[in-house]
Amino acid sequence: MNNTNPPALEVRNLGKSFGKTEVLRGISFTLERGAVLALIGSSGGGKTTLLRCLNFLETADAGQIYVAGSCISVRAARTPMSIWLNLVPRVLVSA
């Protein structure tokens, strides 16, 4: 990571479980400023849980989230990050 121009968002080893069910394990990615990231997968695959953890609507059990190079503790966050992220679960496009 270049400290003079850090990524807009970086996620390292994010994990989340609900009871004994592990929903997210070791999720890591980097999103550069101006980039678009699409999450696709089957129903129940953890897409919404990942987005809810990034918005701090759910508390991740493990990992780190960096916004513009600053680490934000996943265990201590109190307010949603919706100023940085938008949750759009579905977009319907007609042909």
Side-chain angles (χ1 to χ4, degrees), residues 1 7 20-21 28-29 46 61 66 71 74 81 84-85 87 92 95:
M1 181 170 72
K20 293 182 180 180
T21 304
S28 297
F29 63 89
D61 299 323
Y66 294 82
C71 184
V74 296
M81 289 181 49
W84 292 293
L85 306 169
L87 174 60
L92 300 176

Side-chain angles (χ1 to χ4, degrees), residues 17-23:
S17 295
F18 295 104
K20 293 182 180 180
T21 304
E22 188 176 44
V23 179

Side-chain angles (χ1 to χ4, degrees), residues 57-80:
L57 298 172
E58 292 283 350
T59 302
D61 299 323
Q64 300 86 37
I65 299 172
Y66 294 82
V67 175
S70 296
C71 184
I72 299 171
S73 171
V74 296
R75 305 291 274 166
R78 299 267 189 250
T79 57

Side-chain angles (χ1 to χ4, degrees), residues 6-54:
L9 177 67
E10 183 177 3
V11 175
R12 296 182 188 169
N13 297 312
L14 201 68
K16 174 68 180 169
S17 295
F18 295 104
K20 293 182 180 180
T21 304
E22 188 176 44
V23 179
L24 303 175
R25 176 182 32 190
I27 303 296
S28 297
F29 63 89
T30 300
L31 188 61
E32 299 297 332
R33 186 177 188 163
V36 176
L37 175 68
L39 297 174
I40 58 173
S42 61
S43 179
K47 301 175 301 293
T48 299
T49 300
L50 173 60
L51 293 173
R52 289 179 60 83
C53 287
L54 293 176

